[in-house]
Amino acid sequence: GAGVSQSPSNKVTEKGKDVELRCDPISGHTALYWYRQSLGQGLEFLIYFQGNSAPDKSGLPSDRFSAERTGGSVSTLTIQRTQQEDSAVYLCASNYQLGPPFFGPGTRLTVL
Amino acid sequence: AQTVTQSQPEMSVQEAETVTLSCTYDTSENNYYLFWYKQPPSRQMILVIRQEAYKQQNATENRFSVNFQKAAKSFSLKISDSQLGDTAMYFCAFLNVNKLVFGAGTILRVKS
């Protein structure tokens, strides 16, 4: 596709379970960003990838959160032992060099 | 560290009127880019307009224009002839190498 895609669009899980969120950036985009957005709030930075490396992972809230990127393309954000406070929309964006970042539609995570 | 400040949490405007959203930023960098994004209730982040810091001319996209004051580190968005479809949350963003930083957002409501 031409845009950034994310899957699933919605995820409901039980407290304590692990979840994986996927982001497919625009082809050729070397940079990839993950953000978290609580209802009606701003964007909380989680992690930034340049190629397969993560030079900035300072926003990951705890060691339950991890992310990887393979082949300079797809990225997966994994949340282990989910908690209710992890409920939010998780947004992914990608760009090339200093071009404008484009966002995916997000994954809404609900932890019961 | 770069910071982006949007001092107006909420604003309202009558349909067909003009409204200006404020944004200031702090950086010691000289080469960077600035963006305004729109996020309607559908939650998709949409790029509205971008400005390269090395360009003195203010960017314009149809009804949207910016007032970029580099020395003052100010980057306001003007929406002319406001339409009901402009109702959304608007985010100001700063981009340079390795950093994509967002303001807290301004909720804009266009009233008929």
Side-chain angles (χ1 to χ4, degrees):
Chain A
V4 178
S5 60
Q6 292 187 246
S7 60
S9 57
N10 287 285
K11 176 72 176 178
V12 180
T13 190
E14 294 179 347
K15 178 182 172 181
K17 295 286 181 67
D18 297 352
V19 295
E20 284 189 353
L21 312 181
R22 177 186 169 107
C23 173
D24 277 276
I26 292 172
S27 177
H29 280 194
T30 53
L32 187 148
Y33 310 83
W34 281 98
Y35 291 86
R36 179 167 72 173
Q37 186 177 31
S38 299
L39 187 62
Q41 302 300 309
L43 280 72
E44 177 188 2
F45 169 76
L46 297 177
I47 189 169
Y48 155 72
F49 286 94
Q50 183 61 247
N52 292 335
S53 301
D56 188 354
K57 52 180 77 173
S58 62
L60 293 178
S62 74
D63 59 7
R64 295 186 296 105
F65 287 72
S66 63
E68 66 174 11
R69 190 178 183 195
T70 54
S73 180
V74 172
S75 176
T76 302
L77 177 69
T78 301
I79 309 173
Q80 295 179 312
R81 304 181 302 282
T82 51
Q83 304 295 312
Q84 289 183 331
E85 62 262 29
D86 299 335
S87 295
V89 174
Y90 290 80
L91 292 167
C92 170
S94 71
N95 74 327
Y96 176 70
Q97 295 186 345
L98 289 177
F102 290 95
F103 280 82
T107 293
R108 181 179 299 280
L109 175 65
T110 303
V111 182
L112 302 177
Chain B
Q2 289 85 0
T3 59
V4 177
T5 302
Q6 293 180 247
S7 58
Q8 305 151 315
E10 294 187 29
M11 293 193 71
S12 295
V13 64
Q14 284 296 128
E15 201 174 3
E17 297 291 306
T18 295
V19 64
T20 298
L21 308 185
S22 301
C23 173
T24 59
Y25 59 94
D26 187 24
T27 184
S28 58
E29 302 290 333
N30 196 46
N31 185 28
Y32 53 89
Y33 290 71
L34 297 164
F35 307 96
W36 278 98
Y37 285 88
K38 168 185 176 181
Q39 188 181 40
S42 67
R43 88 178 181 226
Q44 175 71 54
M45 291 279 283
I46 301 165
L47 177 67
V48 174
I49 198 166
R50 62 175 159 176
Q51 175 79 43
E52 294 88 345
Y54 63 85
K55 288 187 177 179
Q56 291 186 334
Q57 186 173 6
N58 289 323
T60 298
E61 287 287 342
N62 300 315
R63 297 183 295 107
F64 299 88
S65 62
V66 299
N67 182 3
F68 174 48
Q69 301 290 329
K70 190 173 184 179
K73 297 179 182 175
S74 172
F75 181 60
S76 61
L77 174 70
K78 185 172 82 170
I79 306 174
S80 304
D81 186 24
S82 297
Q83 301 175 359
L84 295 177
D86 295 335
T87 292
M89 193 154 191
Y90 287 80
F91 292 97
C92 176
F94 169 99
L95 173 70
N96 76 340
V97 177
N98 295 340
K99 277 291 181 186
L100 175 60
V101 182
F102 285 86
T106 296
I107 297 172
L108 176 66
R109 294 186 175 87
V110 181
K111 299 178 178 179
S112 58

